Structure formats: C-alpha cells, structure tokens
Amino acid sequence: MTSLREIDERVRAEYGTAIGRPVADLVTPALILDLPVAARNITRMAALIEPMPAALRPHFKTHKSPALARMQVAAGAGGLSVATVWEAAILAQAGLDDLFIVNTVVGPAKIGAVAELARERTVAVAVDDAPNAAELSRAALAAGSTLGVLIEVDTGMRRGGFDTASSVVDLARRLVELPGLDFRGVTGYEGHCSEEADVARRTELQHAAMRVLLDCVEALAGIGIPCPIVSAGGTRTWWLTAATPGITEIQAGTYALMDQFHSGVEGGFEHALRVVATVISKQRGRFIVDAGSKSIGDPNLTTVAGLDVANLGFDEEHGRFADVSGPDATPVGVAVGDVLELIPGYAPATVNMFDAFHVVENGVVTDIWPVVPRGPGHHGLIEGTPPR
C-alpha cells in the first residue's frame, strides 16, 4: 500500500509550486482550504458538544485529510468515523486510533485488511448479516486480532441495517458468541432527515429515527446485552442527535469544511472549502466558469462567494451564472479572465474529485495537503490493498 510519505511527496511534486502564491494565481479549477476558518469550525464544534451527552466521532469521509483529522482529535474528538477500509488504513498509518468503519465490510480482501488493522489499532465495523459476521470472526482469529462490531439499524434511510428490534436481538445473540469479535453496540444514520429543509419537520423525523435506534438498545438490555456505544448523527442533525438521551456519539463531519447543502445548521460554522474557477466566457445574461460537474459535488446548489448571482446550471466542464444581481438586475461586473471562488453544493463529493487541498491563509497558499484515499479501483493516490 502506498505510504502517506509517498503520497505527500507526490502531491508536493505536482502542486508544490503553488505555495506562496495568491489564490488568484492558481491554475483552475483548484480546491482550496481556508485553514483558519477550518480551525475555527473544529474548535467551535468541540466547545458546543462538550456539555452535551454525546461525544463527537467526526467523519473522515468529508475531508479525507489526515491533517484535519489530527486537528479534530486534538480538539477532543473521541475517535474517528470512516466510510471505507482504505480510509481506516490511512488513518492508522497517520498514527490515529479508535476507528469506526460506519459500513458493512464484505469481500476477502477488505475483511482481511480490516482484521489486520485491528491487530495494532482499535477498529470497529458495522454488521447486519450473520454469515458476514462469521467471516469477520474467522479473519480476526487468523490475524490474531479483536475486531469491534456494531449492529447497523435502519432508522429510515432504507439503506443497510435492520428495521426491527427482534432482528437486532437475533444477531446480537450470535455476535457475543463469535470469537475474535467484540460487540460494542448499535449504529444508525438518520441521513433521510437531512433532506428535509424545514427544521421543525426535520426535528420530528430525527426524533422518530432515534426512537427506532433506542428501541433496539432497550430490546438488547432486556436480554442482558449492553450497548456501550450508540452511534448516529450527521451535520444537518448534529445538535438534535447530540442532545438525545441514550445517544453516546455523533458522526458529524461536514461542519469542518461546510458547503451549501449544510448551510444554516446550528453552530454558526463557516465555509472553509472553496473551488477556485476562472471566468472563461461572458455572453448575454450569463458568465461561464471552468469548473463544472466534474469538479463540484451537487453543483446546482453551488454559489459564487461574494456575489449574489443565480446559478443557471452546470455541465461537465462549465458552470453558468447570471451576470446580474438582485431584483434590480444590477450588473456584477465580472469579466473573462476573472478568478472566482465557488462554494460547493456538497463538500464530501467535491473533495473526492481532487488530489490535493491548496491550504490558504490570508489569501495565500501556505501548504499542500493530500486528499486520501479514493482507494484501489478509483485511480486515487492510494494504490494496492493494505498489507496482509
């Protein structure tokens, strides 16, 4: 597996000449991270969640940056959430611990890799299938490790996980008997609530979702199986879920970067993530930038920082915006060649399209940080599988 040092050297060789340059001089499109803003977001979340009953286990998938993960842990995060085995492997390389793969892990290569990681690190995975749990058990025994498992509960996403407490109980009874596995609790992501724009209605949906999760905890307690970890929560519901009695941790991640989809959540988080783009054409009623849907996640929600202009739509390599602002149709004065900063619609998908962050302080690039990993098969910076 490619080492973090090799990855860092590669991105510095590719992008290092940008260090010391103002943002306006970057080759576009480029991904920029306003480091002081990200640091404020991380500090703010740590302070907000400190008096709440749930701890914070931020999701690494949002930024894919070991440097940002270290900042989150230094601010008090209780471990880290990841989406893939490869993300867990990179964080282990970075010296970080207490890693929860908030996903079911299937397939010999992935199962073997996570079992090996658990030899040196505290690692847990989600499970919702008895034969898969048996495979995890065999792999952990072969590796000489202990692998944590949390049962995934479907709280309304209609993705993975059980939707009945009886199914959770049945699997838990098996898990506590399987060697090499350590049953640690339950997990359920209420992501469907995030789609609701009305906060009052979102709150109702969140409460119903947590009731499903906590009913499973109560059912397990009824047969004498404790749930030390009850894990849930994203950025659009973080303050609701963190305040829910019985929830022990939340997995919010986008708060560190922010995007348009997550704008308006509790906490006053700022936009630390931008995509720098150049105006490449100006036609009647519109101007065009060189960042399209291949550079920005959820592009139809994307806005231009500092300009109140309508988003007219995105194509693969083109973003279209109105060249007037406000009800009076005031010209915005944008010209071909101007460099603009776009606030992405969705941060995790945006970050995943780039190899590196241009780390910016006071409008100048001060460092280059790799975005890792997209994993084998995705032509990212990480190559191969973790060693077996």
PDB file of all heavy atoms in Angstrom, residues 169-185:
ATOM      1  N   VAL A 169     -31.750  -8.153  17.991  1.00  0.00           N
ATOM      2  CA  VAL A 169     -31.552  -9.070  19.109  1.00  0.00           C
ATOM      3  C   VAL A 169     -31.007 -10.411  18.614  1.00  0.00           C
ATOM      4  O   VAL A 169     -30.065 -10.979  19.194  1.00  0.00           O
ATOM      5  CB  VAL A 169     -32.869  -9.268  19.885  1.00  0.00           C
ATOM      6  CG1 VAL A 169     -32.771 -10.466  20.827  1.00  0.00           C
ATOM      7  CG2 VAL A 169     -33.213  -8.003  20.660  1.00  0.00           C
ATOM      8  N   ASP A 170     -31.590 -10.931  17.534  1.00  0.00           N
ATOM      9  CA  ASP A 170     -31.148 -12.226  16.995  1.00  0.00           C
ATOM     10  C   ASP A 170     -29.669 -12.185  16.609  1.00  0.00           C
ATOM     11  O   ASP A 170     -28.912 -13.119  16.909  1.00  0.00           O
ATOM     12  CB  ASP A 170     -31.985 -12.617  15.779  1.00  0.00           C
ATOM     13  CG  ASP A 170     -33.409 -13.002  16.148  1.00  0.00           C
ATOM     14  OD1 ASP A 170     -33.660 -13.267  17.342  1.00  0.00           O
ATOM     15  OD2 ASP A 170     -34.269 -13.022  15.243  1.00  0.00           O
ATOM     16  N   LEU A 171     -29.250 -11.131  15.922  1.00  0.00           N
ATOM     17  CA  LEU A 171     -27.853 -11.047  15.511  1.00  0.00           C
ATOM     18  C   LEU A 171     -26.937 -10.817  16.707  1.00  0.00           C
ATOM     19  O   LEU A 171     -25.846 -11.406  16.786  1.00  0.00           O
ATOM     20  CB  LEU A 171     -27.658  -9.933  14.478  1.00  0.00           C
ATOM     21  CG  LEU A 171     -26.225  -9.793  13.935  1.00  0.00           C
ATOM     22  CD1 LEU A 171     -25.735 -11.101  13.311  1.00  0.00           C
ATOM     23  CD2 LEU A 171     -26.131  -8.653  12.923  1.00  0.00           C
ATOM     24  N   ALA A 172     -27.360  -9.991  17.653  1.00  0.00           N
ATOM     25  CA  ALA A 172     -26.534  -9.713  18.828  1.00  0.00           C
ATOM     26  C   ALA A 172     -26.250 -10.997  19.604  1.00  0.00           C
ATOM     27  O   ALA A 172     -25.132 -11.204  20.103  1.00  0.00           O
ATOM     28  CB  ALA A 172     -27.209  -8.686  19.722  1.00  0.00           C
ATOM     29  N   ARG A 173     -27.246 -11.865  19.722  1.00  0.00           N
ATOM     30  CA  ARG A 173     -27.029 -13.131  20.418  1.00  0.00           C
ATOM     31  C   ARG A 173     -25.913 -13.936  19.766  1.00  0.00           C
ATOM     32  O   ARG A 173     -25.123 -14.605  20.441  1.00  0.00           O
ATOM     33  CB  ARG A 173     -28.332 -13.946  20.419  1.00  0.00           C
ATOM     34  CG  ARG A 173     -29.373 -13.465  21.422  1.00  0.00           C
ATOM     35  CD  ARG A 173     -30.449 -14.521  21.586  1.00  0.00           C
ATOM     36  NE  ARG A 173     -31.328 -14.245  22.722  1.00  0.00           N
ATOM     37  CZ  ARG A 173     -32.587 -13.870  22.609  1.00  0.00           C
ATOM     38  NH1 ARG A 173     -33.135 -13.721  21.409  1.00  0.00           N
ATOM     39  NH2 ARG A 173     -33.326 -13.635  23.689  1.00  0.00           N
ATOM     40  N   ARG A 174     -25.818 -13.870  18.429  1.00  0.00           N
ATOM     41  CA  ARG A 174     -24.749 -14.583  17.726  1.00  0.00           C
ATOM     42  C   ARG A 174     -23.412 -13.886  17.899  1.00  0.00           C
ATOM     43  O   ARG A 174     -22.375 -14.534  18.085  1.00  0.00           O
ATOM     44  CB  ARG A 174     -25.098 -14.693  16.241  1.00  0.00           C
ATOM     45  CG  ARG A 174     -26.373 -15.461  15.946  1.00  0.00           C
ATOM     46  CD  ARG A 174     -26.515 -15.730  14.464  1.00  0.00           C
ATOM     47  NE  ARG A 174     -27.786 -16.342  14.134  1.00  0.00           N
ATOM     48  CZ  ARG A 174     -28.053 -16.912  12.960  1.00  0.00           C
ATOM     49  NH1 ARG A 174     -27.132 -16.939  12.018  1.00  0.00           N
ATOM     50  NH2 ARG A 174     -29.232 -17.444  12.721  1.00  0.00           N
ATOM     51  N   LEU A 175     -23.437 -12.561  17.815  1.00  0.00           N
ATOM     52  CA  LEU A 175     -22.180 -11.811  17.864  1.00  0.00           C
ATOM     53  C   LEU A 175     -21.440 -12.011  19.172  1.00  0.00           C
ATOM     54  O   LEU A 175     -20.206 -12.126  19.188  1.00  0.00           O
ATOM     55  CB  LEU A 175     -22.453 -10.319  17.644  1.00  0.00           C
ATOM     56  CG  LEU A 175     -22.929  -9.903  16.251  1.00  0.00           C
ATOM     57  CD1 LEU A 175     -23.211  -8.403  16.226  1.00  0.00           C
ATOM     58  CD2 LEU A 175     -21.916 -10.272  15.179  1.00  0.00           C
ATOM     59  N   VAL A 176     -22.163 -12.030  20.266  1.00  0.00           N
ATOM     60  CA  VAL A 176     -21.480 -12.140  21.567  1.00  0.00           C
ATOM     61  C   VAL A 176     -20.832 -13.510  21.753  1.00  0.00           C
ATOM     62  O   VAL A 176     -19.999 -13.689  22.659  1.00  0.00           O
ATOM     63  CB  VAL A 176     -22.448 -11.840  22.731  1.00  0.00           C
ATOM     64  CG1 VAL A 176     -22.936 -10.400  22.658  1.00  0.00           C
ATOM     65  CG2 VAL A 176     -23.622 -12.817  22.756  1.00  0.00           C
ATOM     66  N   GLU A 177     -21.187 -14.473  20.908  1.00  0.00           N
ATOM     67  CA  GLU A 177     -20.603 -15.810  20.990  1.00  0.00           C
ATOM     68  C   GLU A 177     -19.462 -16.020  19.995  1.00  0.00           C
ATOM     69  O   GLU A 177     -18.739 -17.020  20.098  1.00  0.00           O
ATOM     70  CB  GLU A 177     -21.686 -16.870  20.731  1.00  0.00           C
ATOM     71  CG  GLU A 177     -22.842 -16.847  21.718  1.00  0.00           C
ATOM     72  CD  GLU A 177     -22.401 -17.179  23.135  1.00  0.00           C
ATOM     73  OE1 GLU A 177     -21.434 -17.951  23.283  1.00  0.00           O
ATOM     74  OE2 GLU A 177     -23.004 -16.649  24.086  1.00  0.00           O
ATOM     75  N   LEU A 178     -19.288 -15.128  19.045  1.00  0.00           N
ATOM     76  CA  LEU A 178     -18.278 -15.330  17.999  1.00  0.00           C
ATOM     77  C   LEU A 178     -16.898 -14.905  18.488  1.00  0.00           C
ATOM     78  O   LEU A 178     -16.716 -13.754  18.926  1.00  0.00           O
ATOM     79  CB  LEU A 178     -18.647 -14.545  16.742  1.00  0.00           C
ATOM     80  CG  LEU A 178     -19.778 -15.135  15.892  1.00  0.00           C
ATOM     81  CD1 LEU A 178     -20.170 -14.159  14.777  1.00  0.00           C
ATOM     82  CD2 LEU A 178     -19.376 -16.475  15.294  1.00  0.00           C
ATOM     83  N   PRO A 179     -15.907 -15.795  18.410  1.00  0.00           N
ATOM     84  CA  PRO A 179     -14.552 -15.426  18.850  1.00  0.00           C
ATOM     85  C   PRO A 179     -13.937 -14.400  17.911  1.00  0.00           C
ATOM     86  O   PRO A 179     -14.216 -14.367  16.704  1.00  0.00           O
ATOM     87  CB  PRO A 179     -13.794 -16.761  18.778  1.00  0.00           C
ATOM     88  CG  PRO A 179     -14.528 -17.563  17.751  1.00  0.00           C
ATOM     89  CD  PRO A 179     -15.982 -17.179  17.897  1.00  0.00           C
ATOM     90  N   GLY A 180     -13.101 -13.558  18.476  1.00  0.00           N
ATOM     91  CA  GLY A 180     -12.422 -12.539  17.678  1.00  0.00           C
ATOM     92  C   GLY A 180     -13.234 -11.282  17.483  1.00  0.00           C
ATOM     93  O   GLY A 180     -12.721 -10.299  16.947  1.00  0.00           O
ATOM     94  N   LEU A 181     -14.502 -11.294  17.895  1.00  0.00           N
ATOM     95  CA  LEU A 181     -15.363 -10.119  17.757  1.00  0.00           C
ATOM     96  C   LEU A 181     -15.726  -9.577  19.138  1.00  0.00           C
ATOM     97  O   LEU A 181     -15.911 -10.331  20.091  1.00  0.00           O
ATOM     98  CB  LEU A 181     -16.641 -10.457  16.987  1.00  0.00           C
ATOM     99  CG  LEU A 181     -16.481 -10.994  15.570  1.00  0.00           C
ATOM    100  CD1 LEU A 181     -17.854 -11.124  14.914  1.00  0.00           C
ATOM    101  CD2 LEU A 181     -15.567 -10.116  14.728  1.00  0.00           C
ATOM    102  N   ASP A 182     -15.853  -8.263  19.208  1.00  0.00           N
ATOM    103  CA  ASP A 182     -16.240  -7.586  20.445  1.00  0.00           C
ATOM    104  C   ASP A 182     -17.482  -6.754  20.143  1.00  0.00           C
ATOM    105  O   ASP A 182     -17.408  -5.749  19.426  1.00  0.00           O
ATOM    106  CB  ASP A 182     -15.096  -6.689  20.926  1.00  0.00           C
ATOM    107  CG  ASP A 182     -15.460  -5.880  22.162  1.00  0.00           C
ATOM    108  OD1 ASP A 182     -16.374  -6.302  22.898  1.00  0.00           O
ATOM    109  OD2 ASP A 182     -14.825  -4.819  22.380  1.00  0.00           O
ATOM    110  N   PHE A 183     -18.634  -7.205  20.658  1.00  0.00           N
ATOM    111  CA  PHE A 183     -19.872  -6.465  20.402  1.00  0.00           C
ATOM    112  C   PHE A 183     -19.861  -5.161  21.185  1.00  0.00           C
ATOM    113  O   PHE A 183     -19.765  -5.156  22.412  1.00  0.00           O
ATOM    114  CB  PHE A 183     -21.092  -7.294  20.787  1.00  0.00           C
ATOM    115  CG  PHE A 183     -22.388  -6.552  20.599  1.00  0.00           C
ATOM    116  CD1 PHE A 183     -22.829  -6.209  19.335  1.00  0.00           C
ATOM    117  CD2 PHE A 183     -23.138  -6.164  21.695  1.00  0.00           C
ATOM    118  CE1 PHE A 183     -24.009  -5.508  19.154  1.00  0.00           C
ATOM    119  CE2 PHE A 183     -24.326  -5.461  21.532  1.00  0.00           C
ATOM    120  CZ  PHE A 183     -24.760  -5.138  20.253  1.00  0.00           C
ATOM    121  N   ARG A 184     -19.976  -4.035  20.468  1.00  0.00           N
ATOM    122  CA  ARG A 184     -19.850  -2.732  21.121  1.00  0.00           C
ATOM    123  C   ARG A 184     -21.123  -1.900  21.109  1.00  0.00           C
ATOM    124  O   ARG A 184     -21.164  -0.847  21.739  1.00  0.00           O
ATOM    125  CB  ARG A 184     -18.710  -1.939  20.465  1.00  0.00           C
ATOM    126  CG  ARG A 184     -17.369  -2.607  20.687  1.00  0.00           C
ATOM    127  CD  ARG A 184     -16.215  -1.838  20.109  1.00  0.00           C
ATOM    128  NE  ARG A 184     -14.975  -2.603  20.254  1.00  0.00           N
ATOM    129  CZ  ARG A 184     -13.884  -2.391  19.550  1.00  0.00           C
ATOM    130  NH1 ARG A 184     -13.845  -1.432  18.644  1.00  0.00           N
ATOM    131  NH2 ARG A 184     -12.812  -3.148  19.736  1.00  0.00           N
ATOM    132  N   GLY A 185     -22.150  -2.312  20.336  1.00  0.00           N
ATOM    133  CA  GLY A 185     -23.373  -1.528  20.362  1.00  0.00           C
ATOM    134  C   GLY A 185     -24.081  -1.493  19.033  1.00  0.00           C
ATOM    135  O   GLY A 185     -24.024  -2.445  18.247  1.00  0.00           O
TER     136      GLY A 185
END
